[in-house]
Amino acid sequence: MANLASDRANSDQFLFERDGSAQGLTRRSVLGGISALSAGVLLPEISQAKPAVPYGVATQIEHFRDDPVYRAKLLQYCDNIVPMNALKWASLRHTEGKFDFSAADQLIEFAEQNKCGTHGHTLLWYDYNPDWVNAIDDAKTAEKVLVEHIETVVDRYKGRIPTWDVVNEVIAHDPRWFGQWREGMWLKLLGPAHVDIAFRAAARTDPNAELIINDYDLANWGSRFNKRRAIMLDLVRHLQDQNIPVHGVGMQAHLYAEREVDHKQVVKFMRDLKALGVDVWVSELDFIDWKLSADHSVRDRAVAQVATQFLDAVFEGGPPRAVTTWGISDRHTWITNTFPRDDGLSSRALPLDENYQEKPLMQVLRGYLAMRA
């Protein structure tokens, strides 16, 4: 998401190169790998008997309200509606002591009316908190507010939202250098127990909901990514050891189009999670194309190639429970502003272009998923 820009648009490139793990796709290798594609559409070679993996779209309330074509495309393509920001703290709790569910309710009701599934994002995040929450300075108040928030939100949608990202981005950006945990007010006041507290509150409030840890940078090649995968496995084991329900991992996939997906390690990660009895949700798929050619067809084919590499690995080790893109159209993507291209062009990050026309990425998704269209 856009709030990670300082970590991922600046330090991430430096850390990646310092690690010596830059195995990314050069323009030459991209062109060579896709030269045989006559129509620029890269389709995966998989069985015709596709698993019933639903396609979700993270949906921003402003675009949903203002753009009728946006709403129509949600109905045309997606199985799950995921509120992008409407269930986060700053959206729900502008003022201390009050909840504002208007945006979240509108999206959930739209999904229900149109027989779409839903997914809750997110109950706890170090970022996007209102000022009054960030001003909390003692552990007792922090725990009280956290538990009250989770109980209130989960109870409101009990039986309506079946899966929740309980905690979001709790692993340090680079745990090789900065330790396991992502810094933030919840960690500062409650320590690592903030994860346990959040999961217990969610499980107690809706025992039938599936509860997920959601985090990023779990797909690429290199020691930083290996460390992040290992920590995620340890977090799942820790919750299980405490008899705290945990049902899955949200594998954010904000993928850099010039970097290599570590097929072997992604397959292993999927299988390691399966051995622990938990599933994977591909939760925030989109593509950062800031290093690629200005040519739309080159960028689109490169994105399709990386998407195929990633989904090949995920489905070989899986399949996942769902695949969700972080938006549906390049008209509304955070990537353009957060990872700006030197040439000033808009990003080609999502399955539909700025005019809501299908791109090769949509064809790749259709090859893997049981999609509506």
Side-chain angles (χ1 to χ4, degrees), residues 2-237:
N3 304 76
L4 294 175
S6 60
D7 279 344
R8 300 170 66 184
N10 298 318
S11 65
D12 191 53
Q13 185 66 25
F14 168 70
L15 290 168
F16 192 75
E17 292 171 354
R18 179 176 63 183
D19 179 45
S21 57
Q23 303 292 321
L25 300 172
T26 65
R27 185 173 184 274
R28 176 177 296 178
S29 67
V30 168
L31 288 171
I34 61 180
S35 60
L37 299 174
S38 59
V41 177
L42 186 64
L43 291 174
E45 295 181 2
I46 60 175
S47 168
Q48 293 182 352
K50 293 181 293 187
V53 176
Y55 171 53
V57 173
T59 305
Q60 183 63 14
I61 188 63
E62 292 83 3
H63 311 320
F64 175 85
R65 287 171 172 167
D66 298 340
D67 187 343
V69 180
Y70 182 90
R71 293 194 299 275
K73 293 302 178 182
L74 294 177
L75 293 179
Q76 180 179 346
Y77 290 103
C78 77
D79 304 295
N80 290 334
I81 300 291
V82 181
M84 185 179 286
N85 291 310
L87 284 167
K88 292 175 181 172
W89 282 65
S91 298
L92 291 177
R93 308 199 67 179
H94 320 296
T95 306
E96 186 174 2
K98 296 182 180 179
F99 285 81
D100 177 6
F101 289 105
S102 57
D105 281 353
Q106 188 172 1
L107 292 174
I108 300 306
E109 289 166 6
F110 175 82
E112 291 172 336
Q113 290 165 4
N114 292 284
K115 296 180 171 48
C116 293
T118 56
H119 178 93
H121 176 83
T122 176
L123 296 173
L124 183 149
W125 190 24
Y126 73 91
D127 208 346
Y128 206 69
N129 294 316
D131 290 342
W132 69 268
V133 171
N134 288 328
I136 296 171
D137 60 3
D138 69 281
K140 183 177 180 180
T141 302
E143 181 171 358
K144 179 178 181 293
V145 168
L146 176 59
V147 170
E148 174 199 40
H149 177 88
I150 292 174
E151 289 179 344
T152 302
V153 175
V154 174
D155 184 66
R156 182 179 186 86
Y157 299 108
K158 186 175 182 179
R160 301 172 69 193
I161 295 181
T163 56
W164 284 96
D165 295 334
V166 178
V167 296
N168 188 50
E169 298 175 358
V170 295
I171 301 173
H173 179 69
D174 190 343
R176 300 172 304 174
W177 305 95
F178 304 114
Q180 173 175 333
W181 296 100
R182 162 74 66 170
E183 295 293 334
M185 59 87 62
W186 300 114
L187 181 68
K188 178 181 178 181
L189 295 176
L190 298 174
H194 72 290
V195 173
D196 299 8
I197 292 167
F199 269 88
R200 283 196 174 101
R204 183 171 59 249
T205 306
D206 187 354
N208 294 318
E210 294 185 281
L211 309 180
I212 299 164
I213 309 175
N214 192 51
D215 223 305
Y216 67 94
D217 279 358
L218 298 170
N220 290 112
W221 189 96
S223 61
R224 182 169 75 86
F225 303 93
N226 290 340
K227 185 67 172 176
R228 290 178 62 82
R229 286 185 285 263
I231 290 172
M232 181 60 80
L233 290 167
D234 285 343
L235 285 172
V236 171
R237 293 187 189 102

